[in-house]
């Protein structure tokens, strides 16, 4: 089993769920386990709580492709793919996490052993990270690490 990561950015956070920073997209050949998620705001710091939604999706949507990075330089290319800065949102199904995170902080979630988020081996399925805020309109970033 090999480990991979992908990072994505959304250039302007919106007041409603509408611009996903990063989506990790399943492959019909591989079930993957996401074990680490890092979320942050990259704009001018202020005293804002940015709401982050981590959600499953059943249709990919349109975003800029991101090439997953193998964390072992000898590993093959990832079976999963990723997209950032969505212009047409994925079709979201379930909200897994709903975290308010202060804009001046970054946040890292590490899965407890055997409690990773599973990306099913289903075409067009995946997991996305979406920031929401009514006033803050700066950039936000998300990174996910997974094993496949």
């Amino acid at each position: 089993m090999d480990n991979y990561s992908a990072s994505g950015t959304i250039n302007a956070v919106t007041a409603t769920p509408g611009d996903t920073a990063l989506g990790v997209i399943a492959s019909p050949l591989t079930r993957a386990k996401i074990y680490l998620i890092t979320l942050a705001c990259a704009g001018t710091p202020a005293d804002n709580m940015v709401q982050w939604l981590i959600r499953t999706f059943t249709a990919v949507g349109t975003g800029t492709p991101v090439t997953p990075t193998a964390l072992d330089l000898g590993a093959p290319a990832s079976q999963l793919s990723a997209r950032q800065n969505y212009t047409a949102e994925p079709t979201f199904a379930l909200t897994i996490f709903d975290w308010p995170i202060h804009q001046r902080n970054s946040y890292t979630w590490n899965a407890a052993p055997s409690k990773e988020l599973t990306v099913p081996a289903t075409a067009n399925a995946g997991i996305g990270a979406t920031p929401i805020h009514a006033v803050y309109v700066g950039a936000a970033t998300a990174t996910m690490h997974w094993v496949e």
Side-chain angles (χ1 to χ4, degrees):
M1 298 181 87
D2 293 302
N3 295 290
Y4 301 88
S5 73
S7 295
T9 299
I10 189 72
N11 295 322
V13 174
T14 59
T16 58
D19 291 321
T20 295
L22 177 67
V24 174
I25 303 160
S27 160
L29 306 174
T30 303
R31 283 175 48 115
K33 305 267 186 185
I34 295 175
Y35 61 87
L36 184 139
I37 300 172
T38 301
L39 307 169
C41 290
T44 303
D47 285 324
N48 295 317
M49 296 298 283
V50 175
Q51 180 182 2
W52 281 91
L53 301 176
I54 306 299
R55 303 178 288 175
T56 63
F57 56 80
T58 57
V60 176
T62 305
T64 305
V66 176
T67 302
T69 301
L71 300 181
D72 173 352
L73 298 179
S78 175
Q79 294 291 314
L80 275 62
S81 60
R83 293 186 186 173
Q84 68 174 341
N85 201 22
Y86 278 76
T87 55
E89 286 294 287
T91 302
F92 287 105
L94 301 172
T95 298
I96 300 170
F97 297 118
D98 185 344
W99 289 313
I101 300 170
H102 197 279
Q103 183 195 344
R104 294 180 188 263
N105 294 327
S106 60
Y107 179 79
T108 300
W109 172 80
N110 286 293
S114 76
K115 302 300 182 197
E116 301 87 358
L117 304 178
T118 302
V119 179
T122 305
N124 299 318
I127 294 178
T130 307
I132 306 166
H133 193 274
V135 177
Y136 173 67
V137 294
T141 62
T143 300
M144 295 188 198
H145 289 223
W146 65 90
V147 62
E148 57 183 63

